[in-house]
Amino acid sequence: MTATAERPPSKLLFGLRLAGLIALLIACVPPHLLSKWVLRRSKWPRRFLRWGALIVGVRPRVVGSPLEPHSFVIANHVSWLDIMILGGWTGTAFIAKAEVETTPLIGWIADQNRTLYVERSARGEVHEQVERIAEALGHHQPLTVFPEGTTGNGRHLLPFRSTLLEAVAPPPPGASVRPLAINYGEFADVVGWHSGEGGIANFKRVLGHRGTMAMTIHLLGPLPPADDRKLLARQAHAAIASALSSLAAPEAV
């Protein structure tokens, strides 16, 4: 564990940042709803995610070519903070677990960013889910999946689940598959939401962190088209592990 993670969270900073996030949400909702009503689209969800991450103290550095429309992004997953950072700095939508949709407030916020919900345990619905992903890629907004299926400690990649990659094996016309590596560096111990830790405890630690947190978003090159979802999972896993040189890279599945 780093010295950064050993410092106890600040209750004052937690309170100030929480108040800032609440104030930001209240300020963003009216112009967002007005924009949707008048223009049928809104840039406010991305602004909220970006400004929210800044309030939390994140200072991202983006490396690589920007995501193009119709990009299917395969990313590692460390924290709930990944959503704010990637949504704010790349403009992507996300594939999320079905329970997110029914979570009070969080579900509504996720809806505004065109989140696509899937039930990973419903194996009988895989074909339908794959069709919905392919349909979502017809929209200009990039779409991100976290194939680890859960968050981790930020220092080790978990095996990638390949089921949902069936939607891009091969990718629909005009779509591309882009690996993306999220690297919190020395702040991985602060941000990482590992198995067994309660969400409230992680939320308090992240918001109570003293100072800012520099991190890097690695936008990696497109993967070559492939008909094999398991091959795509292996290629994406290898590309992300290579970008995160400090991480162990267990064999993907």
Side-chain angles (χ1 to χ4, degrees):
M1 181 174 289
T2 64
T4 304
E6 291 174 355
R7 299 182 65 187
S10 166
K11 293 182 180 181
L12 175 60
L13 283 174
F14 169 76
L16 290 174
R17 286 173 174 152
L18 179 59
L21 290 175
I22 294 172
L24 176 64
L25 179 61
I26 294 173
C28 288
V29 167
H32 164 64
L33 295 178
L34 181 62
S35 181
K36 286 186 66 176
W37 181 54
V38 175
L39 303 176
R40 298 293 186 265
R41 63 183 184 275
S42 174
K43 296 181 179 179
W44 285 95
R46 181 173 182 177
R47 292 168 178 165
F48 169 76
L49 295 172
R50 186 183 183 107
W51 296 341
L54 292 173
I55 287 173
V56 173
V58 177
R59 298 296 182 266
R61 178 173 69 102
V62 181
V63 178
S65 302
L67 297 179
E68 297 179 347
H70 316 296
S71 293
F72 184 81
V73 182
I74 302 175
N76 60 310
H77 200 14
V78 182
S79 165
W80 54 269
L81 200 54
D82 301 344
I83 306 296
M84 302 184 76
I85 294 169
L86 297 188
W89 271 265
T90 73
T92 183
F94 299 91
I95 299 174
K97 297 178 181 179
E99 52 263 35
V100 172
E101 184 176 17
T102 57
T103 303
L105 184 60
I106 300 299
W108 182 84
I109 294 174
D111 287 344
Q112 308 316 301
N113 194 47
R114 298 178 59 88
T115 298
L116 180 64
Y117 305 102
V118 298
E119 181 57 69
R120 292 181 181 271
S121 61
R123 295 186 178 274
E125 300 178 8
V126 169
H127 181 71
E128 178 186 348
Q129 293 172 356
V130 166
E131 288 185 342
R132 289 169 56 213
I133 291 171
E135 181 181 352
L137 285 173
H139 191 267
H140 72 276
Q141 188 175 12
L143 182 65
T144 295
V145 65
F146 298 114
E148 290 170 286
T150 186
T151 53
N153 61 13
R155 298 196 175 279
H156 298 88
L157 281 177
L158 299 173
F160 282 5
R161 302 177 182 180
S162 64
T163 303
L164 296 181
L165 303 190
E166 183 70 33
V168 289
S176 61
V177 181
R178 294 280 301 270
L180 184 152
I182 306 168
N183 189 356
Y184 289 96
E186 65 176 300
F187 301 102
D189 292 324
V190 174
V191 176
W193 187 2
H194 56 78
S195 176
E197 181 183 33
I200 298 299
N202 182 273
F203 185 71
K204 288 182 176 179
R205 184 175 68 248
V206 173
L207 263 65
H209 174 259
R210 302 169 190 268
T212 57
M213 295 182 287
M215 55 83 61
T216 305
I217 304 169
H218 298 268
L219 297 169
L220 307 175
L223 296 177
D227 296 334
D228 187 341
R229 60 181 172 84
K230 293 186 177 182
L231 174 61
L232 280 177
R234 290 194 295 268
Q235 291 176 332
H237 193 285
I240 293 171
S242 177
L244 305 177
S245 58
S246 63
L247 298 184
E251 184 179 354
V253 294

